[in-house]
Amino acid sequence: MSSPTPAPAHVVDPAGGCPHALNAELRARGPVADIVLPGGVSAAVVLGHDALKEFLSHPDVAKDARHCPALHDGTIPADWPLRVFANAQGMHTADGADHRRLRSLVGNAFTARQVERLRPRIEALTAGLLDDLGRAAAEDPDGIADLRTHFALPLPMSVICELLGVDPEHHARLHELTYTVVIATDTTPAEVMAAVRELVELLGTIAAARRAAPGDDLTSALISAREDDGDRLSEAELIGTMRLMLVAGHETTLNLISNAVRALCTHRDQLALVLEGKATWSDVVDETLRWDGPVSWFPFRYPTRDLTLGGTVIPQGTPVLAGYTAAGRDEASHGRDADRFDVTRPGAARHLSFGQGAHYCVGAPLARLEATIALEQLFTRFPALDLAVPEAELPHQRSFIGNSVDALPVRPVRH
């Protein structure tokens, strides 16, 4: 009796789009899928919750790109746009002692106690941005304002830039560059390489300003750590760490807030439960992270040996993506109603959107705090806030990495 023919590798659309239908189709075949990334690069994506949980914390899975021969032997071209995820130097591409060394330099800034100290500043920023959102809608003939532009983006961007000691004049360009480098996946190699060069130069300029005039900020602390003990942090690691903090500190929270607002506006019964005190804003955040997480398929990890996961062998050195949005709706883990948004769902917090194991997101406490404050103040000020266009017409990010919309027009009404 012949064995069944394996399903052909899925060819990834660089334009991305809403991932959930594709996730369900691929997950039905198994918890791991072979894929072909833009540029014809063979890879794999882990889609099942249990398989992803095992994979993210597996001792035989590395983040360092030296474990991927195809990146070094000419198989993958030097100008491959996704190479940026492998080439960056920082704790997100380090393993073992190197990873612990780099993580320790920023970890103290993101402990639950340190993050809680930021609450008054985040609350004040949120209130001011809601004023801006209301004014923008009042000035529009149809009473419409883009929630991403006026609220969901500037809140986390302001917070992480204040932590890093970045002047406001750089905020807009930094967002444009990080979006091009990390989120957009329909870009050309030339566009990505130009954006990477400009981003590195701009971060170098910011670091030079902090070196000349140190302050009470994370960049100054990283520079100080480097100068106190020269082998602790190289210049490339400094820039890489700043880039990681900047990207992870605003792009993901921007998507999280946007996705939560979309979910609540299209599930008014769930919003009512929160406003009536039958669920919390933390419940909303966790259910959003599970049901429609801010990151879809994130690159890369590499098995250091042939690895069997969920019955599928992933060959040593394969570039593997973590399928966070797929794992969040895995019925085997979250029940037969995993496709339903339910803020009272038991066990919603078991999602993997912040990762698992040694690389668990160091900024998770900050993202949670920002999102809960943002949602509570938004819907307290504007309890009747609703989408200004049908949800299906919102422009989805052209990305298979980021998962959100590019614009979120709303009517922020009070009653």
Side-chain angles (χ1 to χ4, degrees):
M1 185 174 176
S2 61
S3 58
T5 304
H10 169 74
V11 179
V12 176
D13 182 353
C18 184
H20 300 300
L22 174 61
N23 283 338
E25 177 188 333
L26 294 178
R27 204 173 48 235
R29 304 178 192 172
V32 179
D34 291 328
I35 59 175
V36 179
L37 292 168
V41 174
S42 296
V45 59
V46 183
L47 306 154
H49 174 96
D50 290 347
L52 183 57
K53 185 175 182 180
E54 178 183 354
F55 179 74
L56 293 175
S57 53
H58 201 288
D60 296 318
V61 172
K63 294 276 276 182
D64 191 324
R66 66 187 175 86
H67 294 285
C68 180
L71 286 165
H72 310 288
D73 64 10
T75 303
I76 296 176
D79 65 350
W80 187 49
L82 294 177
R83 189 181 275 276
V84 66
F85 292 93
N87 288 355
Q89 290 190 46
M91 65 183 181
H92 57 310
T93 55
D95 298 306
D98 243 5
H99 172 253
R100 289 190 293 273
R101 170 179 63 91
L102 293 166
R103 189 176 175 107
S104 70
L105 293 173
V106 300
N108 288 340
F110 295 98
T111 63
R113 176 179 293 182
Q114 287 296 100
V115 167
E116 185 60 30
R117 292 175 59 187
L118 298 173
R119 179 183 291 274
R121 179 60 181 145
I122 296 171
E123 290 175 339
L125 280 169
T126 301
L129 291 169
L130 289 176
D131 292 340
D132 294 343
L133 181 70
R135 276 194 294 271
E139 292 168 3
D140 182 82
D142 298 313
I144 296 172
D146 183 5
L147 187 124
R148 280 177 74 89
T149 300
H150 294 284
F151 184 64
L153 167 59
L155 176 60
M157 191 66 170
S158 297
V159 173
I160 196 63
C161 283
E162 286 184 12
L163 277 173
L164 286 169
V166 176
D167 294 335
E169 68 197 68
H170 298 307
H171 291 192
R173 188 58 183 155
L174 283 171
H175 171 63
E176 291 169 1
L177 292 170
T178 57
Y179 185 89
T180 300
V181 171
V182 178
I183 302 298
T185 50
D186 64 341
T187 45
T188 66
E191 287 171 330
V192 173
M193 293 180 78
V196 168
R197 281 195 299 269
E198 186 180 345
L199 180 57
V200 169
E201 287 173 8
L202 184 49
L203 291 174
T205 299
I206 293 165
R210 296 281 68 80
R211 192 176 283 113
D216 184 19
D217 57 77
L218 187 53
T219 302
S220 297
L222 291 170
I223 291 168
S224 175
R226 181 185 178 210
E227 292 175 348
D228 290 346
D229 185 356
D231 65 354
R232 292 193 71 202
L233 195 67
S234 69
E235 182 71 13
E237 287 171 339
L238 171 64
I239 298 301
T241 301
M242 290 174 66
R243 186 168 96 183
L244 172 64
M245 295 294 99
L246 180 69
V247 173
H250 90 275
E251 291 285 3
T252 51
T253 308
L254 159 62
N255 284 359
L256 170 57
I257 294 170
S258 300
N259 291 0
V261 170
R262 287 164 54 223
L264 291 170
C265 286
T266 53
H267 299 79
R268 307 300 296 195
D269 59 325
Q270 300 299 302
L271 175 58
L273 289 173
V274 185
L275 296 176
E276 293 164 7
K278 296 175 181 175
T280 67
W281 295 108
S282 291
D283 294 332
V284 173
V285 169
D286 273 321
E287 180 65 348
T288 302
L289 287 165
R290 180 201 70 82
W291 184 74
D292 201 20
V295 176
S296 190
W297 294 5
F298 196 78
F300 288 116
R301 284 172 164 82
Y302 317 96
T304 58
R305 62 170 175 81
D306 290 356
L307 190 67
T308 302
L309 204 65
T312 299
V313 177
I314 306 176
Q316 178 180 345
T318 301
V320 183
L321 292 85
Y324 293 113
T325 50
R329 297 198 186 189
D330 184 357
E331 293 185 358
S333 180
H334 296 289
R336 286 170 31 175
D337 67 343
D339 275 338
R340 185 165 64 89
F341 182 74
D342 178 5
V343 297
T344 64
R345 178 183 302 276
R350 291 189 303 109
H351 64 78
L352 298 170
S353 286
F354 287 128
Q356 179 77 16
H359 286 272
Y360 183 85
C361 177
V362 71
L366 179 58
R368 286 184 180 281
L369 183 65
E370 289 175 346
T372 51
I373 290 173
L375 294 169
E376 181 171 13
Q377 284 203 27
L378 176 67
F379 285 103
T380 298
R381 175 97 63 104
F382 304 114
L385 178 140
D386 209 349
L387 303 181
V389 299
E391 206 263 349
E393 295 179 13
L394 295 172
H396 209 279
Q397 287 181 335
R398 295 180 64 78
S399 176
F400 56 82
I401 296 173
N403 173 47
S404 192
V405 292
D406 269 334
L408 189 54
V410 298
R411 288 189 176 89
V413 291
R414 295 176 183 271
H415 304 293

